[in-house]
Amino acid sequence: MRDARYSSVVDNEIGNEIADALGVLLKRTTRAHLHQRLTEGMGEAVDDVTYPVLSALARTGPRSAAELAHDVGVDRSGVTRRASRLEAAGLVRREPDPADRRAHLLVLTEEGRLVVAELRARLADHITASLSSWPPGEAETFARHLRRFTAEGPFS
């Protein structure tokens, strides 16, 4: 009986440790700081405010501002303002929604896809650099376990 209680305490400690680390990753200030670093020098329209819209469109494909608002974490009008900046820069365009002609979908342009590719390369480089001091194989193991955690864990 004592072993089961010890195991439960250890498991809770691990759960708390993971929860604390995720809390840091999910903080708005943490994300904003990272987005600011990634978008540095990318032009006036691409910054820490518009980055989430570009990133979400790249992940999800064409979406309405209302649908995208949930993924980005701002309201529909916030997404619309950010999309307008991106549209003026030629990175996003609006197209009629085939399912609802009154609505419009936000779509990445070819230039927008190139910008997202550059941002993803910068992010991958930043992550790789931060893992450079890890022992061989440890980063690969971490990536494998992180994929599993996101697929099977509390966020799935």
Side-chain angles (χ1 to χ4, degrees):
M1 185 72 147
R2 188 170 191 182
D3 289 339
R5 191 177 335 189
Y6 173 78
S7 178
S8 176
V9 169
V10 169
D11 289 346
N12 280 341
E13 287 175 10
I14 292 168
N16 286 330
E17 189 175 333
I18 291 169
D20 288 345
L22 288 173
V24 170
L25 289 175
L26 297 174
K27 275 182 17 182
R28 181 172 288 181
T29 55
T30 302
R31 292 189 323 266
H33 179 71
L34 176 62
H35 298 166
Q36 192 173 38
R37 288 179 82 182
L38 296 175
T39 59
E40 199 169 285
M42 292 292 294
E44 191 175 309
V46 182
D47 60 17
D48 59 312
V49 174
T50 58
Y51 175 91
V53 172
L54 286 171
S55 180
L57 281 174
R59 270 192 326 275
T60 66
R63 306 278 303 270
S64 70
E67 292 170 326
L68 208 54
H70 181 72
D71 290 340
V72 174
V74 297
D75 62 19
R76 184 182 57 79
S77 64
V79 170
T80 300
R81 283 191 302 276
R82 288 161 174 82
S84 292
R85 286 181 54 204
L86 294 167
E87 184 177 31
L91 304 177
V92 168
R93 69 176 179 274
R94 289 177 167 86
E95 293 182 355
D97 184 342
D100 180 359
R101 289 290 179 192
R102 297 168 296 163
H104 287 86
L105 299 177
L106 300 171
V107 180
L108 285 176
T109 63
E110 183 58 35
E111 187 177 348
R113 283 189 285 279
L114 292 173
V115 166
V116 168
E118 171 63 23
L119 291 168
R120 285 185 172 173
R122 288 179 176 202
L123 178 58
D125 289 346
H126 184 64
I127 291 169
T128 301
S130 70
L131 299 172
S132 65
S133 65
W134 289 28
E138 205 169 283
E140 292 84 356
T141 300
F142 173 70
R144 188 174 61 254
H145 289 299
L146 184 59
R147 275 192 302 276
R148 180 177 176 194
F149 181 72
T150 58
E152 300 173 10
F155 302 106
S156 60

